[in-house]
Amino acid sequence: VPTYQIHTEGVVIDGTVFGNIARFFNHSCDPNLKWIKVWSGKSFPLVAFFCNRNIAAGTELTWNYDTSITKRNNSGVPCLCGSKDCRGYL
């Protein structure tokens, strides 16, 4: 079974088996969403997504799977986002 785990800021995000609508958000090197850890009294944080600019109806919702500024992950998985600042890999 393939895994789609994202390890970032001490949190593992994995929508392989179940998740909410956010599991359908795609990657972009120039995303229109950002995520924030939200603590709600549980032993683990929830993840909330917020717009980082105005998004027109019908526009694909995207976030950057690699939030590290200095790390440029060459995972071997090609990035197909098409942004002018695309780093080439997820």
Side-chain angles (χ1 to χ4, degrees), residues 8-11 35-39 45-48:
T8 184
E9 296 185 24
V11 175
W35 68 273
I36 296 174
K37 289 188 283 190
V38 177
W39 293 93
L46 301 174
V47 177

Side-chain angles (χ1 to χ4, degrees), residues 17-38:
V17 178
F18 66 91
N20 58 24
I21 194 70
R23 73 189 297 187
F24 299 108
F25 296 169
N26 287 315
H27 165 80
S28 175
C29 295
D30 183 26
N32 53 22
L33 299 174
K34 65 178 179 175
W35 68 273
I36 296 174
K37 289 188 283 190
V38 177

Side-chain angles (χ1 to χ4, degrees), residues 6 13-14 22 30 33 41 50-51 63 65 70-71 78 86-87:
I6 297 164
I13 300 170
D14 186 358
D30 183 26
L33 299 174
F50 295 90
C51 302
W63 63 293
Y65 293 172
T70 57
K71 176 181 149 194
C86 181
R87 64 179 185 251

Side-chain angles (χ1 to χ4, degrees), residues 1-5 14-17 23:
V1 173
T3 182
Y4 301 98
Q5 293 181 347
D14 186 358
T16 303
V17 178
R23 73 189 297 187

